[in-house]
Amino acid sequence: MADFPLAGLKVLDFSRVVAGPYATRMLSDLGAEVLKVEPPEGDVTRKLAKRDSGVSGNYLQLNIGKKNICVDLKAEGARELIHKLAAQADIVVENFRPGVMDKFGIGWEALSKANPRLVMLSISGYGQHGPERGRAAYAPVLHAESGLIARQAEMSGGKPTDIQFAMADSYSSLHGIIAILSALRTLDQSGEGQHIDLAMVNVLHSADDYAHFALDDIWPKAPETLVWEAPEERQILITGDMKWLWIMFSTKTACRIRPRKGPTYRQRYGCATRRWKSISSRTRVSMR
């Protein structure tokens, strides 16, 4: 692992489910040594969905490459053990509700005394301070409160349903790893560790590139084919399938062209599939 950029760094991972484990998995991918601390019952994702290998694929996806240790934080001697591990670590990641780590005597104040150079990332729904700090937050709750579910329903004309992607968790992990790397850079310059307070609801708002529509009271409803105006009187056509688009163009335009002699375009090439095969064999469609 010596050739990896984060080789030599040690990470103590208390995080569970997605927000946190995804960040520490990326730290592991970059070469850091990650020790995942789990309670006796294990991370809840161990038991999700199919478990042919003893644990779920979701758990493996988010925790591959890590080492594991089981610690009952309520047990006698657990606090002293965590302090010893933190003294040897460079990074700590946790996503308990604010105050839980302090309750066990392993919060930022205690761990930073054991290791002043420690970088600690705390991921929570609404931040470590303020009136919402005690609320538990899963991705669907944050998707609803940030307006993502309402927007999806309004733009699609359907019922409000959660998006099929744990955006709040994944985006928070990405923001978290950026914050960790920034704190490590600051550590190189100042010699001091940092406690990073990451609120997932803030992540969603900062990453929402459609928020300006709501602020401007303009809520666009995308048609099936969206055309944007571009400089120099040109247009940008948004489509997910260039092949389908090319077939439609050939159907609507080329099939209307009748040569001076010989069969029509439709008579020559017939159905859309045959037209596509003929066109693609002679024409290279490029996207710039």
Side-chain angles (χ1 to χ4, degrees):
M1 299 290 283
D3 295 333
F4 288 77
L6 299 186
L9 292 179
K10 294 183 178 181
V11 181
L12 198 55
D13 181 13
F14 292 93
S15 62
R16 303 146 298 144
V17 194
V18 180
Y22 183 37
T24 50
R25 196 214 77 183
M26 287 188 287
L27 292 173
S28 174
D29 292 342
L30 292 170
E33 180 183 338
V34 179
L35 179 63
K36 183 176 177 69
V37 181
E38 296 188 51
E41 64 273 17
D43 190 318
V44 66
T45 58
R46 283 180 174 269
K47 303 172 184 178
L48 290 179
K50 199 172 181 180
R51 301 190 299 273
D52 287 343
S53 60
V55 295
S56 70
N58 180 260
Y59 178 86
L60 294 175
Q61 176 187 359
L62 296 169
N63 296 285
I64 191 169
K66 304 176 186 178
K67 298 178 180 179
N68 297 74
I69 183 174
C70 175
V71 179
D72 184 351
L73 296 178
K74 300 177 183 178
E76 184 179 351
R79 177 174 59 184
E80 291 73 17
L81 172 61
I82 298 302
H83 285 192
K84 290 179 180 179
L85 292 172
Q88 303 173 39
D90 301 285
I91 303 163
V92 169
V93 177
E94 61 95 7
N95 63 345
F96 289 107
R97 288 195 306 274
V100 171
M101 294 283 281
D102 292 322
K103 175 183 175 182
F104 291 120
I106 54 174
W108 166 248
E109 185 175 347
L111 296 186
S112 61
K113 288 180 179 178
N115 184 356
R117 293 177 58 86
L118 189 67
V119 170
M120 182 170 175
L121 170 64
S122 294
I123 301 176
S124 62
Y126 308 94
Q128 298 295 307
H129 309 282
E132 304 290 314
R133 66 186 296 268
R135 293 179 57 198
Y138 281 88
V141 175
L142 294 161
H143 295 163
E145 292 197 346
S146 64
L148 292 178
I149 292 178
R151 175 196 304 164
Q152 176 179 259
E154 185 168 347
M155 294 184 70
S156 67
K159 296 181 179 180
T161 56
D162 190 25
I163 57 178
Q164 298 303 302
F165 169 52
M167 182 181 294
D169 292 323
S170 298
Y171 278 24
S172 294
S173 291
L174 293 171
H175 278 68
I177 194 171
I178 292 171
I180 287 172
L181 296 176
S182 299
L184 290 174
R185 175 58 176 158
T186 301
L187 176 64
D188 290 339
Q189 297 171 329
S190 68
E192 297 181 357
Q194 287 191 54
H195 184 203
I196 303 164
D197 176 6
L198 186 69
M200 297 167 71
V201 68
N202 289 346
V203 168
L204 286 179
H205 287 149
S206 69
D208 188 355
D209 61 332
Y210 264 61
H212 63 281
F213 287 118
L215 294 174
D216 294 338
D217 199 25
I218 300 173
W219 207 253
K221 187 179 186 322
E224 292 183 3
T225 301
L226 191 60
V227 180
W228 291 353
E229 296 297 325
E232 301 179 4
E233 298 183 355
R234 298 184 179 186
Q235 289 80 37
I236 300 174
L237 179 61
I238 307 302
T239 178
D241 190 340
M242 187 62 187
K243 178 179 177 180
W244 177 89
L245 180 64
W246 187 253
I247 292 173
M248 292 302 101
F249 275 152
S250 70
T251 301
K252 300 297 183 182
T253 58
C255 290
R256 298 176 183 175
I257 302 174
R258 185 180 185 87
R260 294 181 180 179
K261 296 181 180 180
T264 64
Y265 193 91
R266 184 181 296 276
Q267 291 170 341
R268 178 178 297 173
Y269 299 113
C271 69
T273 302
R274 199 154 73 235
R275 289 197 298 277
W276 165 250
K277 290 180 178 179
S278 176
I279 293 170
S280 61
S281 67
R282 295 179 286 108
T283 307
R284 180 180 179 183
V285 179
S286 61
M287 299 186 68
R288 298 180 181 179

